[in-house]
Amino acid sequence: MKENIHPNYQKVVFHDTAADVYFVIGSTLQTDRTIEHEGKIYPYLPIDISSASHPQYTGKQRAAKQEGQIAKFNNRFGSLRSK
């Protein structure tokens, strides 16, 4: 590899604030914040959503709203369907 052209690759702690879960992942992310995790000091980045809190990965997907466009259409024209 060429010298001084690659970003610094290091372990970073990502904190999913929605699920209160911490992930230690190798990254080139640069941040001024640090955190002590499992006895070591790591760069720290809070995130809003991850696989620990995303509905697709947790299996807790929300049902479609009752007031959605499809529901409104069915309420107005549902009786006109051919039987």
Side-chain angles (χ1 to χ4, degrees):
M1 291 192 326
K2 291 185 178 181
E3 296 287 326
N4 300 324
I5 64 167
H6 299 286
N8 183 23
Y9 186 79
Q10 59 190 352
K11 298 279 185 176
V12 177
V13 172
F14 292 92
H15 177 207
D16 181 350
T17 56
D20 197 29
V21 176
Y22 294 87
F23 299 96
V24 179
I25 301 172
S27 176
T28 58
L29 178 90
Q30 299 297 317
T31 180
D32 294 334
R33 297 175 73 177
T34 59
I35 190 171
E36 183 176 339
H37 182 70
E38 298 178 352
K40 293 183 181 180
I41 304 270
Y42 294 103
Y44 170 75
L45 182 71
I47 55 177
D48 295 330
I49 195 161
S50 71
S51 61
S53 62
H54 193 280
Q56 182 175 350
Y57 296 107
T58 60
K60 297 179 183 176
Q61 293 183 352
R62 291 180 277 171
K65 291 182 180 179
Q66 294 295 328
E67 303 89 34
Q69 294 296 321
I70 295 171
K72 287 181 186 178
F73 179 84
N74 287 336
N75 287 338
R76 291 177 76 188
F77 302 108
S79 63
L80 299 176
R81 290 184 187 169
S82 60
K83 296 179 181 182

